[in-house]
Amino acid sequence: IKYYEGLEGVKSVYESLLKDIRNKEDYLVISHLEPWLKLDQQFFVDFIKRRAKLNINIRMLLQDSSVAQEYKKRERNFNEKIKILPNNTSLVTNLVIIPKKIVIHQLVPPIMAIVIENQSIVKMHQQLFEIMWGFISDRR
């Protein structure tokens, strides 16, 4: 378990995700996109563009917002599959799951991230994501 404080620490965690993920692997996200982008719009938009160029399977469960709806319309442009979470969802953290680790990123002050590299914990989060993915309609 590693702990990162501040926006620069969090950005370094996202950079490591791009380095650690391999061809055809799953990149799974549960997120509230709007506050995530507001932390550093230039960095995170660039991150999305760089991530889109990788040959990976990006699936995202996003809290409903105008930003999430816009990204859903353009999901193919960024090599993403997006589903919108139920209306009563209120997230203040992001969860990113790749085969080697999970990242829990707090979107409200204090800005921080926790990285867990434990295969049992990663596997559990992958399974929870798959359960949620299966239950959420793709029509929204």
Side-chain angles (χ1 to χ4, degrees):
I1 298 175
K2 295 178 184 159
Y3 179 82
Y4 297 81
E5 288 184 318
L7 184 56
E8 293 308 311
V10 167
K11 288 175 4 182
S12 74
V13 169
Y14 281 95
E15 289 295 337
S16 76
L17 288 168
L18 296 182
K19 291 178 187 142
D20 290 344
I21 192 135
R22 299 288 170 246
N23 241 6
K24 304 208 186 282
E25 287 184 335
D26 286 332
Y27 185 102
L28 311 173
V29 178
I30 301 172
S31 176
H32 186 2
L33 207 52
E34 203 163 344
W36 181 72
L37 286 168
K38 283 183 181 175
L39 289 172
D40 185 334
Q41 184 138 3
Q42 185 176 351
F43 173 83
F44 287 116
V45 168
D46 179 64
F47 173 84
I48 291 168
K49 290 175 182 174
R50 290 184 292 133
R51 183 184 65 196
K53 292 177 183 173
L54 301 175
N55 185 21
I56 58 176
N57 304 313
I58 305 165
R59 287 186 292 152
M60 304 172 75
L61 295 168
L62 300 179
Q63 180 173 324
D64 198 7
S65 70
S66 58
V67 173
Q69 293 293 342
E70 278 303 308
Y71 271 80
K72 173 123 181 80
K73 289 177 190 171
R74 299 179 291 165
E75 63 188 338
R76 282 186 168 59
N77 298 351
F78 298 107
N79 188 32
E80 300 166 339
K81 291 180 184 166
I82 295 173
K83 291 187 179 184
I84 304 297
L85 291 163
N87 287 336
N88 60 346
T89 306
S90 180
L91 300 174
V92 294
T93 60
N94 277 356
L95 176 67
V96 181
I97 308 160
I98 66 171
K100 288 187 170 109
K101 61 186 164 188
I102 66 166
V103 173
I104 302 166
H105 166 208
Q106 184 167 289
L107 300 169
V108 296
I111 304 301
M112 51 78 78
I114 298 168
V115 178
I116 302 173
E117 296 183 49
N118 174 289
Q119 284 307 295
S120 297
I121 293 172
V122 168
K123 193 60 95 183
M124 181 191 74
H125 281 83
Q126 288 169 327
Q127 291 176 6
L128 290 170
F129 182 93
E130 295 300 342
I131 291 166
M132 292 171 66
W133 185 265
F135 275 99
I136 295 173
S137 165
D138 198 25
R139 290 185 210 116
R140 296 182 52 166

